[in-house]
């Protein structure tokens, strides 16, 4: 039996039972949820390299499968998020954030980090409340849950699993380190000694980053985040657009020629992106638009 086919069958074997339905989470900008007292100094920067895992929310699964259905009806064409922006009533004004990276020949990791920073900034302005947990029934809250979790998962992939992404591993790592270093430098002086309202916290963060950041990805992320917060159509429209964008992005990066990388991920207990990769292969999506078809031989299986 062909080794490529055998490998995919392994994903359906007992080995897949090791996956505990969790997804990694990592962030460059985030409020520390443990800092509940002023004495703990609520910091906007908290160990960006620190990884944690959470259960995959139902909202994430719903968004992914909605996009997958749209891709299947569109001749199985994947999009890096651009299609969701075109579909959204407000999305076309955000296309600059995609086109700018393409014009500057920057890869998918740069797009992920830019939109991740913007998503984090929107979350600073509109943070979670106790009534916005998984059981919340409003569509806006479900979009918010999906967007924030997928954003942090994609940042986790850039940080911890760049070999599973389309870009060259070392380039992704160096990009993340450069963006992290710039954010660390800027936010090192930012420590609130009193509880702040989300509006004040957002304004302080954006002012600081806008004035002092140097890296293009960080600057673009802040610009994009401000645009999301100031969207005339409001928070609900912003989260709906982001949920579609991130669901498209995680599916876009899932096709891979790196069998070794996915095999190692399975050995570690499994990754959401590996299961999506196998699912896409099952429905006939084996590469991204513009990429040549590949076989097991070109994928490094001999």
């Amino acid at each position: 039996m062909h080794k490529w086919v055998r490998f995919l069958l392994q994903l359906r074997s007992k080995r897949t039972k090791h996956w505990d339905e969790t997804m990694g989470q990592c962030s460059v900008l985030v409020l520390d949820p443990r800092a509940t007292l002023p004495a703990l100094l609520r910091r906007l920067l908290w160990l960006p390299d620190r990884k944690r895992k959470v259960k995959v929310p139902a909202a994430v699964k719903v968004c992914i499968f909605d996009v997958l259905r749209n891709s299947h009806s569109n001749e199985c064409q994947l999009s890096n998020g651009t299609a969701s922006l075109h579909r959204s009533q407000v999305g076309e004004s955000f296309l600059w954030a995609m086109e700018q990276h393409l014009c500057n020949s920057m890869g998918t990791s740069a797009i992920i980090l830019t939109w991740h920073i913007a998503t984090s900034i929107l979350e600073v302005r509109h943070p979670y409340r106790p009534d916005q947990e998984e059981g919340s029934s409003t569509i806006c809250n479900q979009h918010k849950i999906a967007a924030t979790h997928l954003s942090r998962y994609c940042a986790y992939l850039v940080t911890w699993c760049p070999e599973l992404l389309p870009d060259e591993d070392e380039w992704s790592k160096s990009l993340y380190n450069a963006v992290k270093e710039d954010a660390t430098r800027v936010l090192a002086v930012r420590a609130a000694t009193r509880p702040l309202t989300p509006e004040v916290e957002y304004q302080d963060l954006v002012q600081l980053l806008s004035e002092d950041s140097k890296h293009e990805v960080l600057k673009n992320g802040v610009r994009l985040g401000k645009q999301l917060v100031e969207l005339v159509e409001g928070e609900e429209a912003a989260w709906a657009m982001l949920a579609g964008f991130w669901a498209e992005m995680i599916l876009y990066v899932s096709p891979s020629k790196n069998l070794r990388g996915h095999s190692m991920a399975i050995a570690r207990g499994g990754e959401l992106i590996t299961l999506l990769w196998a699912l896409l292969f099952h429905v006939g999506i084996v590469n991204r638009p513009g990429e040549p078809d590949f076989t097991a031989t070109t994928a490094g299986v001999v």
Side-chain angles (χ1 to χ4, degrees):
M1 183 184 295
H2 205 289
K3 289 187 177 181
W4 170 254
V5 177
R6 274 210 310 272
F7 182 81
L8 288 172
L9 289 176
Q10 288 176 351
L11 298 178
R12 302 178 60 184
S13 70
K14 295 180 180 179
R15 299 177 68 181
T16 60
K17 293 181 180 180
H18 293 293
W19 188 57
D20 55 2
E21 294 195 33
T22 61
M23 59 194 304
Q25 301 281 271
C26 184
S27 185
V28 176
L29 305 174
V30 72
L31 288 170
D32 189 341
R34 300 169 301 170
T36 56
L37 298 174
L40 295 179
L41 302 179
R42 289 176 58 185
R43 295 183 183 275
L44 292 172
L45 181 68
W46 72 286
L47 300 175
D49 289 319
R50 181 178 179 178
K51 61 179 176 180
R52 59 194 179 96
K53 288 202 169 187
V54 299
K55 285 288 185 181
V56 179
V60 168
K61 300 175 184 178
V62 169
C63 281
I64 289 175
F65 279 99
D66 282 347
V67 170
L68 186 58
R69 280 194 293 268
N70 289 334
S71 299
H72 191 64
S73 62
N74 190 31
E75 298 182 351
C76 296
Q77 290 295 310
L78 298 178
S79 167
N80 64 353
T82 304
S84 68
L85 299 182
H86 282 296
R87 286 196 305 271
S88 171
Q89 293 181 346
V90 300
E92 294 203 357
S93 64
F94 293 87
L95 287 170
W96 67 267
M98 308 296 290
E99 295 166 353
Q100 187 159 339
H101 287 302
L102 294 176
C103 291
N104 294 339
S105 300
M106 300 188 77
T108 302
S109 295
I111 296 175
I112 286 175
L113 291 178
T114 297
W115 283 80
H116 164 70
I117 291 167
T119 303
S120 299
I121 288 174
L122 181 63
E123 189 179 2
V124 168
R125 179 60 186 88
H126 299 289
Y128 279 112
R129 298 192 304 270
D131 62 341
Q132 291 181 318
E133 297 299 327
E134 173 75 13
S136 179
S137 60
T138 69
I139 294 178
C140 179
N141 290 344
Q142 296 303 301
H143 286 154
K144 187 176 194 177
I145 290 169
T148 53
H149 280 75
L150 285 171
S151 167
R152 290 193 287 264
Y153 182 63
C154 286
Y156 158 85
L157 291 175
V158 174
T159 310
W160 292 95
C161 307
E163 70 278 2
L164 301 181
L165 296 176
D167 301 324
E168 200 275 328
D169 299 8
E170 292 303 319
W171 181 86
S172 292
K173 290 179 182 178
S174 64
L175 175 68
Y176 176 81
N177 288 333
V179 174
K180 180 192 71 174
E181 182 179 350
D182 196 30
T184 302
R185 176 187 59 79
V186 174
L187 296 178
V189 300
R190 179 63 173 90
T193 57
R194 67 189 189 284
L196 300 177
T197 64
E199 182 176 3
V200 172
E201 201 133 37
Y202 157 74
Q203 290 173 348
D204 286 355
L205 172 64
V206 167
Q207 180 179 356
L208 191 62
L209 290 173
S210 297
E211 292 176 353
D212 296 337
S213 59
K214 296 179 180 179
H215 199 286
E216 179 184 0
V217 168
L218 188 55
K219 285 181 173 292
N220 286 338
V222 176
R223 176 186 169 189
L224 185 60
K226 288 176 60 178
Q227 187 178 349
L228 287 166
V229 171
E230 297 168 3
L231 193 63
V232 174
E233 289 78 2
E235 177 190 0
E236 185 170 349
W239 287 121
M241 181 186 69
L242 285 174
F245 172 87
W246 283 114
E248 278 194 358
M249 177 59 76
I250 191 59
L251 286 171
Y252 176 80
V253 299
S254 293
S256 175
K257 305 174 185 179
N258 188 356
L259 300 189
R260 185 184 300 275
H262 280 291
S263 180
M264 293 176 65
I266 293 172
R268 294 193 302 266
E271 281 289 348
L272 174 62
I273 191 174
T274 298
L275 297 182
L276 293 176
W277 170 55
L279 177 62
L280 290 175
F281 185 90
H282 179 71
V283 298
I285 303 177
V286 297
N287 50 31
R288 285 170 286 274
E291 290 185 340
D293 291 337
F294 64 86
T295 63
T297 300
T298 61
V301 178
V302 294

